[in-house]
Each structure stands twice: as C-alpha cells, then as structure tokens.
Amino acid sequence: MRPELKNFKGFTLKNLPEYEGFAQGHRACQGCGTVLPLRLALKALGPNTIAVTATGCMEIVSSPFPYTSWNVPWIHVAFENSATVASGIEAAIKALKRKGKLKSKEKINVVVFAGDGATFDIGLQWLSGALERGHDFIYICLDNEAYMNTGVQRSGATPFGAHTTTSPAGKVVKGQTTWKKNLMGIVVAHNIPYAATANPAFPIDLMNKVKKAALINGPAFIHVYATCPTGWGTKSEDSLLVAKLAVETRVFPLYEVIDGKYIINRKVDKPKPVEEYLKLQRRFRHLTPEQIAYIQERVNQEYEKLLKLAECFGEPQTEQKDE
C-alpha cells in the first residue's frame, strides 16, 4: 500500500461531507448521469479545490452568463487542453509555495472534469503528456460514450453497435462498427500511481476513489461511467438503474490500479445477461440476437482479462454491499 493511503479510512453513509462544490439550479437534462458524479467528486474533494473543465455538457449547463454552479475556483478551457491547463495550475501552486506566498503544507486539489470526446479523442495527446511529466493532479473523465453536447456524434468511447448521428443503424451497417477504446489500458501504460473506474450507482465507492486520488502524490485518473438519457434513449428515471446494470453485467467493471497493481473492487461472480442492460437503451434497439450474443462474448472475454490481471498480483478482490 502506498504510504499516502495507510491512514485512509474512507467515507461511509454515516460520515458523508455536507460540503457542496456544485450548486443546485444548473441546466443539466433531467436524469443526467454526468452531473451526479461531478457533484459527488467535489463533495469528496472539499472547498480547497481548483477545477478545470473542458468544453462539453458540464461546462454548458453550469455557466450560462451571468450565473455559475461552481462553488470552487473554476476555469473553462478548450476541448483539447484541460490536462495542460491543470498542469500549469499545479506548477504555479508549487512556485507560489517556494516563494512563501502559499502555505507549504496546504494541499490544494487540482481536478479536471472532461467528457469522453475531450479525453478519448481530442485531448488524449495532451493528457498523455501531463501524465508522463508526473504532474500532481486528478483527471476525471465523465464518459457518456459520445459527443452529446454537439448532437450525439460517435467518439472513441462509443460502444460497438450503438446508434449515433454519425454511426447510424441502417440496413447494411448496424451502428458503431468498432469497440470502445481501452482508455484505462492507455492510462495505466504511463505508469501513474493511481487509476480507477467509478460509477454514480455506487456513490461511496466513487467518492472514496476521488479522495484516494487526492491523497496520492502524482497524477491520478478516474474513468467515470455517466449515463445520458438524451443520447442513449433511456428513461430519465432509469439513469441509476442502467448504471448499476453496467456493473452487474460486467460491461463496466469497478477496479483500481495502484502502482500498476490491479484490484477489483466489486467482483461479479453471477453476472446478469448483457441483454438486460442493452434493452433499456434505444441506441441498441436495432441489434439482432446474433449481435447481442457477439457483444456478450466480448464482455466475457474482457472481464476474464481483468480477472487475470488482478490474479497476477495476488491482490484480494473485495466485495461491496449495495449502496
């Protein structure tokens, strides 16, 4: 275990922070599964935080002039360069501490919130550079699996078979033709100290991972599953149901990678069929039984790979109670 985490006790339902870094009254869609993990992350980080947001839904819904939903210092930057701007902020904090203008022991969290388009695609090069240089910041990818803010176009995070406006389902081509990019694999290959997946249907797990990321010295990355009723064609009231099914069907496993060691946080021994997850989303309604079986096979294979990675290090796989 890293020394920064030795005394980490974590959040529980009995000791949740009252602090709210993201105010109510924002303009997110009803049932938005992206704004919830953003709010949970800021609760975990507390007021001593500087946030950077790439262009995307969360920037649009939170900052219609002259209003803002941010209760922490916040800067909106372009699609591609949020990781670089966060790197600059972190470097400036270090310089101010050297000059005695900030308390040297005072921890100021620098956190990026960016969507899948700004992370998987447009900003990947910039993120890679920041991770390689070892900047001490947290990068949180709020992944709703397409460019939702600009009209539901496919991204590198769009899953196989999904209908989007640029991967439409027709008679010949049945939606998205490639598999979701393995972003966690790319990030872990940079040998950063901490990376994790998280899901708003498991809020305590999400908040604890954000807190761990803040405690660890060096770059940290959290890949957050984020439902989008508008782009996915789900019922607003089903956002957390869909999110929970993503874990229970093994589509989106919950795990951490600490110093290269894989730890599965919620092992799913008896998964539900992937079809239960797909049938709640209009973007998959065109899929044939053969295509669903094909997706099921791929999900099984990817989960087996994850199990083997965790077994390599002999790390315990902890079970969590439903939150």
Side-chain angles (χ1 to χ4, degrees):
M1 178 180 291
R2 291 185 66 89
E4 303 99 309
L5 300 180
K6 282 186 178 179
N7 298 320
F8 176 72
K9 295 182 180 179
F11 298 107
T12 68
L13 289 174
K14 295 181 179 180
N15 71 343
L16 290 178
E18 295 182 5
Y19 174 76
E20 292 288 353
F22 198 76
Q24 59 186 351
H26 53 75
R27 299 188 181 187
C29 298
Q30 188 176 26
C32 174
T34 305
V35 74
L36 176 57
L38 188 157
R39 177 192 171 200
L40 292 171
L42 288 176
K43 283 180 73 69
L45 292 172
N48 216 20
T49 299
I50 298 173
V52 180
T53 303
T55 293
C57 289
M58 292 304 96
E59 169 256 323
I60 294 296
V61 305
S62 67
S63 59
F65 184 80
Y67 304 105
T68 179
S69 298
W70 299 86
N71 289 326
V72 297
W74 170 76
I75 180 171
H76 161 234
V77 297
F79 250 126
E80 69 274 10
N81 63 341
S82 56
T84 303
V85 171
S87 301
I89 294 172
E90 183 258 359
I93 291 171
K94 285 182 177 178
L96 290 171
K97 287 183 176 182
R98 284 197 306 267
K99 295 178 180 180
K101 295 183 178 181
L102 284 176
K103 295 178 181 179
S104 60
K105 293 183 179 180
E106 184 179 38
K107 174 69 173 180
I108 300 175
N109 303 307
V110 180
V111 59
V112 172
F113 294 102
D116 51 284
T119 307
F120 281 68
D121 301 335
I122 300 174
L124 184 58
Q125 173 180 317
W126 306 63
L127 173 60
S128 176
L131 298 180
E132 182 271 327
R133 292 191 300 271
H135 289 282
D136 187 10
F137 73 101
I138 308 162
Y139 192 108
I140 298 178
C141 175
L142 301 168
D143 179 12
N144 54 23
E145 299 188 330
Y147 290 88
M148 299 305 181
N149 179 51
T150 54
V152 196
Q153 298 93 353
R154 70 165 294 278
S155 75
T158 303
F160 176 85
H163 169 91
T164 73
T165 54
T166 51
S167 64
K171 293 182 179 179
V172 178
V173 179
K174 304 295 183 181
Q176 174 70 0
T177 59
T178 59
W179 296 101
K180 187 183 183 87
K181 190 183 294 182
N182 182 10
L183 183 62
M184 280 290 286
I186 295 170
V187 168
V188 170
H190 287 75
N191 297 315
I192 64 174
Y194 188 80
T197 63
N199 185 313
F202 303 89
I204 304 300
D205 176 74
L206 186 152
M207 292 178 68
N208 282 331
K209 286 173 176 174
V210 172
K211 190 64 177 180
K212 285 182 185 179
L215 292 172
I216 287 175
N217 296 319
F221 180 88
I222 302 179
H223 181 189
V224 177
Y225 179 93
T227 50
C228 178
T230 304
W232 294 10
T234 57
K235 294 180 180 179
S236 298
E237 63 269 27
D238 285 347
S239 284
L240 289 182
L241 171 62
V242 173
K244 190 176 183 182
L245 278 172
V247 174
E248 293 176 336
T249 57
R250 297 178 171 178
V251 168
F252 192 88
L254 294 178
Y255 63 97
E256 297 170 287
V257 186
I258 304 177
D259 291 324
K261 296 181 179 181
Y262 283 72
I263 303 169
I264 299 177
N265 306 116
R266 190 179 186 88
K267 191 177 179 184
V268 182
D269 290 321
K270 297 180 180 179
K272 294 182 179 179
V274 170
E275 186 176 8
E276 289 191 27
Y277 169 75
L278 299 176
K279 69 182 181 182
L280 296 178
Q281 305 173 57
R282 192 166 64 245
R283 61 177 177 161
F284 293 118
R285 65 182 177 182
H286 57 279
L287 294 178
T288 64
E290 291 76 20
Q291 289 172 313
I292 293 173
Y294 183 48
I295 294 171
Q296 179 72 72
E297 182 181 5
R298 174 69 176 233
V299 168
N300 293 344
Q301 290 174 351
E302 292 300 311
Y303 194 79
E304 288 302 316
K305 288 180 186 177
L306 179 61
L307 287 175
K308 287 180 170 59
L309 285 168
E311 291 168 1
C312 283
F313 301 104
E315 294 289 345
Q317 296 163 353
T318 59
E319 292 288 347
Q320 294 177 341
K321 296 180 181 179
D322 290 337
E323 296 167 339

